[in-house]
């Protein structure tokens, strides 16, 4: 498998608790390289656009409010099979279902406040990376 890139967000519940470094270490220990990273504050419109796939879901408004409640750290991760690997390191969406040693099992507060986002497919990874980063910012 060739090197692959995926997009990641350290979510507001994690930045608020000063867990960015611990989460980055778990990504690196899991075999991924952080090749771009910045701390930003999303606007509500940006959060709504980012999660527009969930616009009809009952948790959409709560999710968007949460994503703008604190700064986030957006990242591009590179590695073998990075999209799937990152989802493994993150663990299941609901921390109650996540495996021991995963980021969500270790750090998430709840199904909503689950500490990290990771792209779910090559198409979404490419779209999300291009939305948040210019090509020059990716230093592999
Ligand atoms: P993400 O997109 O953030 O990486 O998470 P995911 O793929 O594991 O989960 P997804 O189904 O895409 O849901 C996106 C985010 O919405 C919040 N959520 N809240 N209260 C609820 O029932 C509920 N369900 C999902 C979580 O923050 C989830 O990560
Ligand atoms: Mg998702």
């Amino acid at each position: 498998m060739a090197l692959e890139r995926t997009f990641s967000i350290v979510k507001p519940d994690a930045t608020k608790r000063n867990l960015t470094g611990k989460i980055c270490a778990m990504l690196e220990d899991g075999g991924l390289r952080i090749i771009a990273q910045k701390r930003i504050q999303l606007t509500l419109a940006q959060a709504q656009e980012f999660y527009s796939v969930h616009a009809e879901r009952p948790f959409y408004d709560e999710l968007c409010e949460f994503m703008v409640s604190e700064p986030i750290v957006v990242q591009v991760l590179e590695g073998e099979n990075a999209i799937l690997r990152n989802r493994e390191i993150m663990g299941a969406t609901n921390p109650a279902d996540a495996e021991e040693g995963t980021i969500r099992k270790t750090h998430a507060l709840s199904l909503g406040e689950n500490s990290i986002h990771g792209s779910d497919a090559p198409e979404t990874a490419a779209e999300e990376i291009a939305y948040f980063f210019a090509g020059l910012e990716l230093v592999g």
Side-chain angles (χ1 to χ4, degrees):
M1 177 84 192
L3 278 185
E4 188 175 62
R5 290 175 176 178
T6 191
F7 176 74
S8 165
I9 299 177
V10 182
K11 290 185 177 181
D13 67 284
T15 60
K16 186 174 188 177
R17 289 176 290 149
N18 210 17
L19 293 172
T20 300
K22 286 196 170 72
I23 287 174
C24 291
M26 292 174 84
L27 296 170
E28 292 175 339
D29 290 347
L32 298 174
R33 184 176 296 273
I34 301 165
I35 64 160
Q37 175 166 258
K38 57 192 170 190
R39 180 173 160 101
I40 61 171
Q41 173 74 56
L42 280 185
T43 66
L44 187 57
Q46 288 167 335
Q48 288 167 337
E49 171 65 22
F50 184 76
Y51 277 120
S52 59
V53 66
H54 295 310
E56 303 307 319
R57 308 283 286 277
F59 58 82
Y60 179 64
D61 288 345
E62 187 186 339
L63 172 60
C64 295
E65 293 289 345
F66 164 61
M67 291 301 291
V68 305
S69 65
E70 293 280 333
I72 60 173
V73 176
V74 293
Q75 306 171 315
V76 180
L77 309 176
E78 185 178 80
E80 296 279 320
N81 223 354
I83 296 169
L84 192 62
R85 183 74 195 113
N86 185 39
R87 301 284 301 190
E88 290 170 354
I89 299 166
M90 289 161 55
T93 308
N94 188 340
D97 301 329
E99 287 189 32
E100 287 296 333
T102 62
I103 290 171
R104 284 168 167 169
K105 182 69 171 189
T106 307
H107 293 300
L109 297 175
S110 65
L111 172 57
E113 295 189 278
N114 60 1
S115 301
I116 186 156
H117 159 80
S119 306
D120 54 14
E123 298 73 30
T124 47
E127 275 174 31
E128 291 170 3
I129 290 169
Y131 181 73
F132 285 99
F133 290 95
L136 273 173
E137 295 178 287
L138 310 181
V139 186

